[in-house]
Amino acid sequence: MSENSKKTKDNSRRNFIKNSALASSFLIVPRHVLGGVGYMAPSDRLNIAAIGAGGKGQSDIVNASVNGRERILALCDVDFSGSAAATVKKFPKAKLYADFREMLDKEKDIDAVTISTPDHVHGPAAKYAMERGKHVYVQKPMTHNIREARMLTEMARTQKVVTQMGNQGGSNPLLGMVQKWVDSGKLGKITKVEVWTNRPVWPQGYEMPKPDPSKKPSALDWDLWLGPAKETPYVPNIHPFNWRGWWDYGTGALGDVGCHLIDIPFRTLDLMYPKAAECSVGTVFTKMWTPDYHPEGCPNSSFITIKFDATEKTKSPLVMTWSDGGIRPSHPDIIPADSDIGGKGSQNGVLIHGENGIISTNINDSSPLMPKLYLNDGTTEFGPEVEEMPEPEYGHQRKWVDACKAGFNSKEHKGLTSSFDYAGPMTETVLMGNLAIRSYMLKRENSKGNEEFYGRKKLLWDGENMKITNLEEANQFVTRDYRIGWEM
């Protein structure tokens, strides 16, 4: 075989698909007719890489492989000694990297990536991948702050890549039952939504642990784990799970399950940007008359009120409340006293209140949705308490893979339940609650020399311009400070 022939034969599958036209002796079809930018034949295998291969990243990349139908080309993790080790064993041919930037720059044949890192790395990793034309699946919450969510939403359209956020319950077919109840008008005007959770279920609401580099696991690349966060020596008991309770890395109870719970009313009621938010948080006293003050971390509990303009679905302005830390709404009279509200044990749930009745549902992750309709005239309609799930997580990852193969703007792409066009505004709404919490903790010395909490007010939000209009200091939480080399 000549050298030129060998080079032709060795052209990568991906470059061939992306750069060649489909031709035969009968016709030549322009590539855009076949599915748009980045189109590949549905019969071909997608080359996928994982950014974050342990924990939730393990199930994300396993589900994206679709039982071996797709090719897992590379795995990236800052610590392969933990749960990521099982992922390496599952995909022994995958190349291993610690730095996703190095992986994406070296592995040119990667088509798509799953991103299942701590929250603070979601945005930088997704941006880096999309800039290189990669399709992305990003765990919830889509980003660590509102500005990042808006940026990635717009970038997905510009780069013409297929996206999906990992709120898998959005693909639960039982949401169609809730949507039908809303669309039927049975509830009448919908004025209130109550959302609650038993989270946090990790340590939260206390002083940040002190750094101790001597306790750093040898296999952990702490500098890469920090990513865009400020440089600091290794802090014990943060990796791999408890980072959720600290603002530099996590997004608290809201970030953990808000995209599962708030997704239900946001989706079924056609909500968009809120117009106002306010909150209060649980106070802990370890000294008499002196409340603990730890603004670097999320509170042990919070209560948040978010207001929306009327939509075609609600027919009325809407008030949504969120409570966490085990605080839940009062039991509505229309629901029998011995019945749970929301999910099992009433630990997590959503109540959609209309003038004619209430819809009750559980958390919308992979837990049973348990949809229930109660009308004032005594009519009830219940969905199943035990769900059949013929494929993992309602096929949420598999549907994204199919859409990647079909191409940007394809039928499969438009059929995704949490592409960034939807997930971006929904994530912004979730993170608005965190903006209210962090503003609530702002304090300064007043003219009398006393400390005052000046952010404890109703915050007015200009969604189109991503700006609090009545407290300028609150806008610092729309974004974050980025370490050099990790800017967005």
Side-chain angles (χ1 to χ4, degrees):
M1 182 182 294
S2 70
E3 185 64 26
N4 286 339
S5 296
K6 185 176 185 299
K7 287 182 179 179
T8 300
K9 184 177 180 180
D10 287 344
N11 275 341
S12 72
R13 169 202 57 80
R14 186 168 186 267
N15 288 336
F16 176 81
I17 291 168
K18 286 200 167 188
N19 297 322
S20 65
L22 177 67
S24 73
S25 57
F26 299 101
L27 78 161
I28 297 176
V29 182
R31 182 165 60 85
H32 72 271
V33 174
L34 298 175
V37 174
Y39 171 81
M40 62 178 56
S43 61
D44 212 311
R45 300 178 76 190
L46 203 67
N47 281 338
I48 310 175
I51 301 175
K56 193 69 186 77
Q58 181 179 4
S59 60
D60 283 340
I61 194 64
V62 167
N63 293 342
S65 74
V66 195
N67 295 315
R69 190 188 75 183
E70 312 303 331
R71 181 184 294 109
I72 305 307
L73 190 66
L75 302 173
C76 177
D77 204 281
V78 297
D79 182 4
F80 280 108
S81 68
S83 58
T87 313
V88 175
K89 187 175 180 180
K90 176 77 174 177
F91 303 107
K93 295 182 179 180
K95 298 177 182 178
L96 305 184
Y97 291 87
D99 190 332
F100 66 79
R101 298 167 298 184
E102 179 186 4
M103 179 184 73
L104 289 169
D105 288 342
K106 284 187 176 180
E107 302 297 336
K108 304 297 185 182
D109 282 347
I110 292 173
D111 300 308
V113 296
T114 60
I115 299 172
S116 313
T117 64
D119 299 348
H120 68 302
V121 182
H122 288 183
K127 176 177 179 287
Y128 203 86
M130 289 197 292
E131 285 174 339
R132 285 150 184 78
K134 315 302 182 187
H135 307 296
V136 295
Y137 179 100
V138 182
Q139 255 309 316
K140 53 74 195 168
M142 183 175 138
T143 58
H144 184 262
N145 60 67
I146 291 171
R147 174 180 164 271
E148 289 180 351
R150 186 72 60 91
M151 179 182 296
L152 295 189
T153 300
E154 294 171 352
M155 181 177 286
R157 300 180 190 130
T158 302
Q159 295 296 103
K160 293 181 166 53
V161 294
V162 176
T163 57
Q164 180 95 306
M165 184 174 72
N167 58 322
Q168 61 270 15
S171 291
N172 187 340
L174 282 178
L175 271 176
M177 178 177 285
V178 179
Q179 190 70 68
K180 181 180 178 181
W181 292 336
V182 169
D183 292 349
S184 70
K186 290 180 179 179
L187 289 182
K189 290 181 180 179
I190 298 171
T191 57
K192 182 172 70 171
V193 171
E194 294 177 292
V195 186
W196 72 98
T197 180
N198 63 344
R199 267 69 157 193
V201 294
W202 51 85
Q204 186 170 297
Y206 63 99
E207 185 178 6
M208 183 78 167
K210 302 299 183 188
D212 188 348
S214 70
K215 294 183 178 179
K216 186 188 80 67
S218 59
L220 171 64
D221 190 320
W222 177 247
D223 185 69
L224 287 176
W225 188 93
L226 286 173
K230 65 178 179 289
E231 187 173 353
T232 186
Y234 173 76
V235 179
N237 301 318
I238 296 293
H239 167 78
F241 192 82
N242 292 342
W243 49 264
R244 288 164 171 79
W246 309 104
W247 294 124
D248 276 347
Y249 320 117
T251 49
L254 262 164
D256 187 65
V257 294
C259 289
H260 292 310
L261 285 158
I262 291 175
D263 173 49
I264 299 167
F266 199 88
R267 182 183 304 275
T268 59
L269 302 179
D270 282 353
L271 301 180
M272 197 55 182
Y273 303 129
K275 64 178 185 179
E278 57 186 309
C279 84
S280 58
V281 305
T283 304
V284 176
F285 287 81
T286 54
K287 294 180 181 179
M288 183 73 74
W289 301 111
T290 305
D292 291 358
Y293 180 66
H294 304 301
E296 72 276 13
C298 312
N300 59 329
S301 62
S302 68
F303 184 86
I304 300 165
T305 301
I306 302 176
K307 296 186 176 181
F308 299 86
D309 287 326
T311 71
E312 285 297 314
K313 305 289 187 182
T314 66
K315 311 295 185 186
S316 171
L318 183 82
V319 175
M320 178 189 293
T321 63
W322 164 277
S323 55
D324 56 43
I327 299 171
R328 65 175 180 86
S330 299
H331 201 108
D333 290 339
I334 197 175
I335 299 178
D338 293 333
S339 298
D340 290 330
I341 59 172
K344 294 289 186 182
S346 305
Q347 294 186 84
N348 302 274
V350 175
L351 294 176
I352 301 175
H353 295 257
E355 59 184 341
N356 300 326
I358 291 175
I359 294 171
S360 169
T361 77
N362 191 13
I363 187 175
N364 192 25
D365 51 2
S366 294
S367 306
L369 187 62
M370 299 169 60
K372 295 180 174 67
L373 172 69
Y374 301 88
L375 295 181
N376 296 339
D377 63 7
T379 300
T380 60
E381 187 176 345
F382 295 171
E385 296 222 353
V386 177
E387 296 176 6
E388 293 184 5
M389 195 185 297
E391 58 181 323
E393 298 189 346
Y394 312 105
H396 199 61
Q397 296 91 347
R398 190 267 305 163
K399 292 171 185 175
W400 166 72
V401 168
D402 290 348
C404 292
K405 295 168 78 170
F408 181 83
N409 236 12
S410 63
K411 173 174 65 69
E412 291 82 355
H413 180 205
K414 293 178 180 179
L416 293 176
T417 57
S418 206
S419 69
F420 287 1
D421 281 329
Y422 168 81
M426 195 264 281
T427 298
E428 288 188 36
T429 297
V430 170
L431 297 177
M432 173 57 61
N434 281 340
L435 185 150
I437 291 173
R438 299 189 74 179
S439 298
Y440 186 87
M441 300 305 293
L442 289 171
K443 70 176 182 179
R444 64 189 173 198
E445 188 176 288
N446 61 24
S447 58
K448 297 181 179 180
N450 299 319
E451 288 187 336
E452 63 176 4
F453 289 92
Y454 61 95
R456 297 184 174 181
K457 60 170 67 177
K458 180 180 180 179
L459 302 174
L460 304 180
W461 179 243
D462 177 355
E464 293 299 325
N465 294 302
M466 291 190 299
K467 184 177 177 64
I468 296 292
T469 59
N470 64 328
L471 181 64
E472 180 57 38
E473 293 93 334
N475 289 306
Q476 65 184 290
F477 305 123
V478 173
T479 183
R480 71 171 300 158
D481 293 327
Y482 294 88
R483 199 155 58 115
I484 295 173
W486 296 86
E487 300 88 351
M488 283 191 66

